[in-house]
Amino acid sequence: TPMELNWERAESTPSYRYSWINAQMKALEDTRWSIAIPKSSGVAFRNNNPGNLKYAGQRKAEKGSEGFARFNTTADGFRALVGQIILDGTRGFTLKEFVNKYAPAAGSDYGQTIADRLGKPLESLVKSLNPLLVAQVVMFAESGSQFERRSEI
């Protein structure tokens, strides 16, 4: 069963939150799920970057096409997206501020779409949201990427 996150402890102890995220990522790897990036997403597919993160020296990344980060695996790209969400949460960003920084050219409809899919108002603090859920919503909005069940071999 997944570990429950103690949000009060997570806010006051960043290392606790990171260890929880790492445990959840490990749980994802241990199941038979993978991240599927549609070929039609272009740069996200070529770069194993489901969230279309710009390159900023992320762990396990190199500079890819059009200034985007290129990862060896989609899991590394997803981890980087989760890390960015956590980082922006520690900066005190609201969901609106996060979306405006993350996709400044996308416009207000994009931000509202993200908020609606999360079932949260744009004024919600990012640190109060589950970063794995935010990452799943963002990667779907950015590239159509989603988790899929790996086929049994």
Side-chain angles (χ1 to χ4, degrees), residues 59-78:
R59 187 170 180 257
K60 296 187 177 185
E62 59 187 35
K63 192 169 187 177
S65 61
E66 302 175 44
F68 291 94
R70 180 177 335 145
F71 300 93
N72 288 330
T73 68
T74 56
D76 290 339
F78 184 75

Side-chain angles (χ1 to χ4, degrees), residues 2-153:
M3 287 177 14
E4 288 297 318
L5 177 62
N6 177 328
W7 285 104
E8 289 175 17
R9 184 172 173 202
E11 281 190 26
S12 63
T13 315
S15 62
Y16 169 79
R17 190 166 187 180
Y18 283 109
S19 66
W20 181 84
I21 294 298
N22 287 333
Q24 297 303 304
M25 291 301 294
K26 186 68 175 164
L28 287 172
E29 291 172 8
D30 288 344
T31 65
R32 298 197 166 267
W33 293 90
S34 63
I35 298 168
I37 303 176
K39 256 187 180 176
S40 61
S41 68
V43 71
F45 179 80
R46 288 191 304 275
N47 291 328
N48 284 322
N49 186 347
N52 280 330
L53 290 169
K54 290 288 192 176
Y55 179 72
Q58 295 95 334
R59 187 170 180 257
K60 296 187 177 185
E62 59 187 35
K63 192 169 187 177
S65 61
E66 302 175 44
F68 291 94
R70 180 177 335 145
F71 300 93
N72 288 330
T73 68
T74 56
D76 290 339
F78 184 75
R79 279 189 199 92
L81 177 57
V82 171
Q84 186 64 54
I85 292 163
I86 292 170
L87 178 63
D88 288 341
T90 65
R91 293 173 171 161
F93 283 19
T94 63
L95 189 54
K96 182 177 183 176
E97 291 167 331
F98 168 74
V99 169
N100 287 342
K101 173 188 169 268
Y102 187 83
S108 61
D109 288 347
Y110 180 84
Q112 193 58 57
T113 298
I114 298 294
D116 290 347
R117 288 185 179 155
L118 290 168
K120 301 289 183 181
L122 281 167
E123 296 75 29
S124 300
L125 290 175
V126 171
K127 70 180 182 181
S128 72
L129 304 172
N130 179 329
L132 292 171
L133 181 59
V134 175
Q136 289 177 50
V137 169
V138 167
M139 76 176 187
F140 185 78
E142 283 292 314
S143 64
S145 300
Q146 52 192 325
F147 285 97
E148 69 177 15
R149 186 98 169 131
R150 292 182 184 151
S151 55
E152 300 290 330
I153 298 177

